[in-house]
Amino acid sequence: MNRDYTLEKVRNFGIIAHIDAGKTTTSERVLFYTGMTHKIGEVHEGETVTDWMEQERERGITITAAAITCFWNPTYMAKGAKPEYRFNIIDTPGHIDFTAEVKRSLRVLDGAVVVFDGVAGVEPQSETNWRYADDGNVPRICFINKLDRTGASFERSYASILDRLTKNAVRVQIPIGLEDKHEGVIDLLKMKAFYFEGNMGMAIREAEIPPELVDDAKKFRGELIEKIVEQDDSLMSAYLEGKEPTLDELKTTLRKATLAVKLVPVFAGSALKNKGVQLVLDGVVDYLPSPLDIPPVHGIDPKTGEEIFRSASDTEPFSALAFKLQNDPFVGQLTFFRVYSGTIEAGTYVYNATTSEKERLGRIVRLQADKREEVKKVFAGEIAAAVGLKSAKTSHTLCDENNPIILDPIKFVDPVVSLRIEPKTKADQEKMGMALKKLSDEDPTFKISSNSDTGESIISGMGELHLEIMVDRMKREFGVEVNVGKPQVAYRETILGTADAENKYIKQTGGKGQYGHVKITLKPMEKLEEGAKIPKNVKRYEDFEFIDSIKGGVIPQEFIPAVEKGVHEAMDRGIVAGYKMVNVSCELTFGSYHDVDSSEIAYKIAASQAFQDAAKRAKPVILEPIMKVEAVMPEQFMGDVTGSLSGKRGQIEGMDERGMLRVIHAKVPLSEMFGYTTDIRSMTQGRGSVMMEFDHYEVVPSNVEKQIVESRK
C-alpha cells in the first residue's frame, strides 16, 4: 500500500481557543467545506461531529480533543479537481479544566489555528494555549471569529493580540462590515474583496474592494508589506528602492516567517454565518508547516543515553509517540499516536521503548471524532489510533525494536482539586477500581489516591467541572454509582529554614541485626539558573534535590540510593498536616556502617526518621494553590464583585474594559473559590462570569494554617 498524499501536501494542525470562541463551530464548517459531512452540526443543537460525548452535547462545551481527517483543494485552484491536501485536525477543549487535552495535542501537531471571539478578543485560556504553543515553538495563524456579533470589533481584538500575546501578529485580511452588516472579507495581499454566498457560503465571489474601504485596505496593506519585507534582506533593499514585491514573493516570505514563528497571519470572519472559513483553510495550506517543514524529532537511545534525531521520512526507522488513550465502547481501548518517521502496518509487532515491551498492533484506525475508518498502513507525518495495545500509555514511544528511541515525554501540570468518593453498593465497589484506572489512563491530570488512615478513595483533577465530568462518566460509561464528598484543596508543604539531623537505626535480633546511620542537612531548594550545570553528586527532580556528600566511603555506595528513597518517601507525608512536601534540598553529609548488619531497609528507615526530625526544625509551612481569576460583569456590579474577591483573600491586580463589560483580574486562593460561579451569577443578576486557572503555590497565613491542621486531625 502506497502513500496517497506526499508529505509536503499534509497539514497536521489543531484548532485552539478560549471556551466559547467558536472552535467547534469552525471545525464543523471545515468538515462541511471539505466534503466530510453533508450537514453542518451546530453546538447549540447538540449535533456536532467533534463534540460527540453526551456530556459535551448537553453542556455545549468541548471536553475531549477530537481527531478528524479531511481533504482540501485551495479556493484558488481549478474547481472540481481531486483534493490536493490532506488535513489531520484536532479540535481541542477551551475550558481550563481540560487544558491537558490542548497540551498533548500541541505536542504532536505541527501548527495551530487560534480562534478568537471578535467581541472579547484575547481571553484567559487564549493566553494559556498561546503559552503552550510558544513552549513547543508551534507555528500558528489567528482567526478573529464572531464578527457578526453585537459589539464585535476586529481592530480591538487584533490590538488585544498585539498587546497580550505577540507583537508579531500581522493582518492579512480585514472584514467588510461588522455586527449585522458583516458581509465578507478583504484580502490585503491580493487587494480583492471576497463574499460568501449560496448554500452555507459555499459559493465564493471575488470582487473589487468597496470604495469606502479602499483607503483602509491600502494603509493596512502597506503595514503588512513592511512587516514581510523586514524578514528578507534582498526584498527589503528592493522595496526601499521603490520596487514592490510580487504576490508570490510576499507569500513565500510570509510562509518562511510564519514557520519560524516570527510572524503570525491574522484572518477575519464569522464561522456561524459561514464567512471566511474557506480562506482560513487556504491560509493553513499557504502558511502552516507540512511534516517536512518541522525540525527532526529529538529523542535518546535507551541503550546508550545518546541524543538521536529522526526526520519525517518513510524510509527512516519507525518512531511514534502515543499521546492519548480513549475507551471506545465498540473496540476497547484506542491508543492515538503520531508517526514521526518510518511506517507501520496493522498486524505487525511494535516495540514500546518506554516499557521495553513488544506488542502486536492488531488494527489501525483513522478517526473521524467518534467514527472509525480502518487502514492497513500508516506513514511518517500521520496521526492514527491503534486498537489492542495493552501496555502503551500517554507519552510512551513506539518504535522499531532494532532502532530504539525514546522521544521527549509530554509534561502535565499537577491537579489542584480533590474529592472524596465512595461506592454506593458492593457491586459498585468492584467496578469502581476498574473505572477509575481506565479514566486515569486516559487523562494524566486525573489522579487517584487513597487515604491510608481512613481507607477513603480520593480523586484529584484540574477543577470542579473536571471532577464532575469524571464522576458523570463513571456513571454513564461504566455503570458505577458513587457518593461524592466536598471538594478539597491539594495543599503542599515545604520548609523555609535549614536544619541538620542525625539518626541511627539499630535493631538487634537473635540472628543478623539491622544497622543504618545517616546525618543529613535540609534546606529550601534553590532555583537553577538557565544553562547551569548540575554537579555529578547532585540528583535533581522537579520538587526535590538529593546531594551525596559522603567522603571516604563512610557509607558504602550501594546504600546511598536507599537513603534517597527513605527521604523521598518521608516527603510524601508532610510534617505540619500530612500533605506532600515539595522544594526540599537534602544533603547526605555523614554516616557509618556495620560490616554484617547494614542493609538497605535500615538506611531507608534511618533516613526517613532523620528527615522527619530535621523537617520539624526547618520552619515547615503549608502552601496553598493560588488561582489567576478573571471576573467579567457589567459596570454597575463592579463594586460588589471587587468587594467579594477582596473578602476571599484575593489580590486585585487590575481592571479593564471589554466592549460594554468590565473585567477584574485577581489572584485568589483556590480554597476560597469553590462555588464562586454561582455566587457571581447571583451578585450580577446572572450577567457575570468567572474564569480561573492555577497560577502558583504560596505560603498560607498562620490563622488559615491552624484551621487546616485542625481539620486534618
Side-chain angles (χ1 to χ4, degrees):
M1 177 184 165
N2 293 325
R3 175 189 278 285
D4 47 0
Y5 282 78
T6 57
L7 269 174
E8 65 270 15
K9 302 286 187 187
V10 173
R11 298 286 183 274
N12 297 313
F13 65 97
I15 298 179
I16 62 174
H18 183 89
I19 190 167
D20 272 351
K23 293 173 307 305
T24 302
T25 305
T26 305
S27 301
E28 289 299 315
R29 272 37 184 195
V30 170
L31 287 174
F32 181 73
Y33 296 135
T34 56
M36 300 311 287
T37 57
H38 301 293
K39 175 182 181 289
I40 291 180
E42 301 295 5
V43 175
H44 52 268
E45 292 167 1
E47 293 180 349
T48 58
V49 172
T50 53
D51 283 357
W52 53 271
M53 286 169 67
E54 285 176 49
Q55 292 92 335
E56 294 179 310
R57 290 183 168 177
E58 285 170 5
R59 288 172 169 82
I61 60 168
T62 305
I63 291 167
T64 181
I68 41 181
T69 299
C70 52
F71 306 91
W72 179 243
N73 229 357
T75 54
Y76 45 79
M77 294 178 70
K79 291 266 186 296
K82 174 183 178 284
E84 276 226 352
Y85 289 86
R86 173 185 177 149
F87 292 164
N88 298 315
I89 308 173
I90 295 184
D91 174 35
T92 64
H95 197 287
I96 185 66
D97 284 14
F98 310 105
T99 188
E101 293 286 331
V102 184
K103 187 143 199 178
R104 60 171 155 205
S105 300
L106 282 175
R107 169 68 174 78
V108 297
L109 292 167
D110 305 331
V113 175
V114 191
V115 182
F116 298 92
D117 182 328
V119 178
V122 173
E123 297 175 271
Q125 191 62 12
S126 322
E127 294 184 66
T128 306
N129 293 342
W130 196 272
R131 195 167 66 243
Y132 291 157
D134 278 343
D135 291 346
N137 211 28
V138 176
R140 61 215 90 140
I141 62 178
C142 297
F143 175 46
I144 296 178
N145 184 29
K146 298 195 175 187
L147 291 175
D148 61 302
R149 273 186 67 195
T150 305
S153 166
F154 176 80
E155 285 305 313
R156 191 176 64 237
S157 300
Y158 175 66
S160 71
I161 294 172
L162 292 177
D163 181 40
R164 294 170 66 177
L165 300 180
T166 176
K167 293 278 180 259
N168 298 333
V170 290
R171 306 174 193 81
V172 291
Q173 291 179 349
I174 56 170
I176 301 170
L178 292 168
E179 301 182 351
D180 56 350
K181 295 186 176 61
H182 178 51
E183 295 173 6
V185 297
I186 293 168
D187 185 319
L188 296 175
L189 286 175
K190 292 182 179 172
M191 284 301 273
K192 291 285 182 190
F194 289 89
Y195 298 91
F196 304 85
E197 298 166 348
N199 177 33
M200 296 303 202
M202 288 276 280
I204 300 172
R205 178 167 65 85
E206 185 178 319
E208 293 306 316
I209 297 171
E212 68 275 14
L213 291 173
V214 169
D215 289 345
D216 280 352
K218 282 179 178 170
K219 182 179 93 176
F220 294 139
R221 176 183 164 83
E223 288 176 17
L224 171 63
I225 291 175
E226 280 175 24
K227 283 275 188 105
I228 294 174
V229 297
E230 278 172 15
Q231 309 295 323
D232 186 293
D233 292 343
S234 58
L235 273 191
M236 185 70 165
S237 52
Y239 183 67
L240 292 173
E241 287 167 14
K243 286 167 67 181
E244 187 170 299
T246 65
L247 180 62
D248 282 348
E249 285 173 332
L250 287 170
K251 277 188 152 181
T252 304
T253 310
L254 180 53
R255 176 178 176 78
K256 278 184 191 161
T258 307
L259 297 183
V261 200
K262 287 180 178 171
L263 288 180
V264 181
V266 180
F267 292 77
S270 164
L272 185 68
K273 294 289 191 281
N274 312 307
K275 289 178 172 54
V277 176
Q278 297 100 312
L279 300 187
V280 173
L281 295 182
D282 289 354
V284 167
V285 167
D286 290 339
Y287 307 120
L288 289 187
S290 75
L292 294 175
D293 295 314
I294 58 166
V297 68
H298 159 277
I300 56 164
D301 186 323
K303 292 174 183 167
T304 64
E306 284 176 24
E307 253 196 330
I308 39 179
F309 295 91
R310 293 277 161 82
S311 303
S313 163
D314 295 343
T315 55
E316 290 237 343
F318 173 68
S319 68
L321 185 74
F323 67 94
K324 178 178 162 72
L325 302 185
Q326 183 178 307
N327 282 304
D328 186 291
F330 303 106
V331 296
Q333 185 168 286
L334 290 170
T335 307
F336 286 69
F337 61 94
R338 156 76 195 258
V339 183
Y340 283 99
S341 62
T343 62
I344 188 83
E345 288 190 49
T348 57
Y349 280 86
V350 66
Y351 180 67
N352 184 334
T354 313
T355 61
S356 306
E357 290 179 48
K358 203 170 161 185
E359 283 196 83
R360 187 169 179 275
L361 188 64
R363 292 158 57 201
I364 303 174
V365 291
R366 222 174 255 154
L367 274 294
Q368 297 295 353
D370 61 336
K371 308 269 192 306
R372 293 158 301 280
E373 173 203 347
E374 202 149 329
V375 290
K376 291 280 177 271
K377 187 174 183 179
V378 282
F379 301 84
E382 293 190 358
I383 292 171
V387 179
L389 292 183
K390 290 192 174 60
S391 68
K393 300 279 181 282
T394 301
S395 276
H396 284 189
T397 302
L398 309 174
C399 61
D400 173 13
E401 191 176 11
N402 300 322
N403 297 279
I405 182 173
I406 295 180
L407 301 172
D408 291 341
I410 310 166
K411 292 186 174 70
F412 295 101
V413 283
D414 286 335
V416 290
V417 179
S418 302
L419 274 182
R420 197 177 68 250
I421 61 165
E422 58 183 29
K424 281 191 175 174
T425 65
K426 187 90 169 81
D428 287 326
Q429 187 167 4
E430 288 163 10
K431 291 188 285 185
M432 188 174 88
M434 183 193 74
L436 287 174
K437 185 181 181 308
K438 285 193 171 176
L439 289 172
S440 66
D441 283 347
E442 270 190 39
D443 185 345
T445 59
F446 178 65
K447 298 270 197 302
I448 308 144
S449 57
S450 58
N451 186 323
S452 52
D453 300 333
T454 61
E456 294 170 327
S457 294
I458 310 287
I459 56 173
S460 306
M462 298 307 294
E464 289 176 271
L465 179 65
H466 187 197
L467 295 179
E468 187 190 314
I469 296 285
M470 287 304 190
V471 170
D472 192 36
R473 287 187 63 191
M474 283 169 67
K475 181 179 172 182
R476 294 195 197 192
E477 292 174 32
F478 302 96
V480 180
E481 295 268 4
V482 293
N483 293 322
V484 178
K486 277 187 177 172
Q488 299 166 339
V489 179
Y491 291 107
R492 297 278 183 266
E493 293 183 25
T494 191
I495 53 172
L496 300 178
T498 303
D500 297 333
E502 188 170 3
N503 189 277
K504 278 186 180 176
Y505 178 73
I506 304 172
K507 198 172 182 185
Q508 290 300 331
T509 51
K512 183 176 180 289
Q514 297 284 2
Y515 183 94
H517 171 212
V518 298
K519 188 174 181 184
I520 61 170
T521 301
L522 295 189
K523 62 180 181 186
M525 185 169 151
E526 291 175 8
K527 274 193 174 175
L528 263 191
E529 285 184 21
E530 212 172 306
K533 286 208 167 157
I534 299 171
K536 279 191 175 170
N537 67 326
V538 177
K539 273 190 174 176
R540 197 175 171 97
Y541 307 95
E542 197 173 351
D543 287 322
F544 172 54
E545 179 180 68
F546 183 75
I547 305 166
D548 171 13
S549 297
I550 291 298
K551 300 280 189 296
V554 291
I555 297 178
Q557 200 61 39
E558 67 263 28
F559 294 130
I560 286 171
V563 175
E564 183 190 331
K565 198 170 182 191
V567 171
H568 216 166
E569 285 181 9
M571 283 177 65
D572 284 341
R573 32 180 209 285
I575 302 302
V576 187
Y579 291 104
K580 183 183 173 184
M581 295 196 79
V582 294
N583 298 338
V584 177
S585 174
C586 173
E587 184 176 9
L588 176 61
T589 55
F590 189 68
S592 62
Y593 75 103
H594 188 283
D595 286 341
V596 177
D597 291 352
S598 281
S599 67
E600 284 191 8
I601 190 74
Y603 278 103
K604 196 169 144 187
I605 294 168
S608 177
Q609 291 173 350
F611 177 86
Q612 288 172 1
D613 180 23
K616 281 173 188 163
R617 291 180 284 109
K619 297 183 190 164
V621 291
I622 296 177
L623 300 171
E624 65 179 342
I626 304 294
M627 309 302 280
K628 189 161 93 179
V629 173
E630 186 176 286
V632 183
M633 76 249 86
E635 187 173 8
Q636 68 260 42
F637 303 110
M638 265 186 81
D640 294 346
V641 176
T642 308
S644 78
L645 289 172
S646 300
K648 291 180 176 296
R649 298 193 282 126
Q651 289 182 318
I652 309 294
E653 299 206 315
M655 301 179 191
D656 60 38
E657 297 179 11
R658 187 174 291 161
M660 304 296 288
L661 300 171
R662 299 294 177 268
V663 183
I664 298 171
H665 304 280
K667 298 271 172 69
V668 192
L670 172 63
S671 58
E672 304 280 350
M673 290 301 289
F674 289 126
Y676 192 67
T677 305
T678 311
D679 295 349
I680 196 171
R681 281 182 188 148
S682 58
M683 254 185 285
T684 60
Q685 299 169 4
R687 292 155 70 192
S689 64
V690 67
M691 275 298 301
M692 285 193 298
E693 66 172 304
F694 171 70
D695 194 73
H696 66 283
Y697 272 96
E698 206 170 86
V699 178
V700 302
S702 55
N703 61 323
V704 179
E705 184 177 293
K706 278 181 193 161
Q707 291 170 12
I708 296 168
V709 173
E710 281 298 314
S711 70
R712 295 283 281 182
K713 280 183 181 173

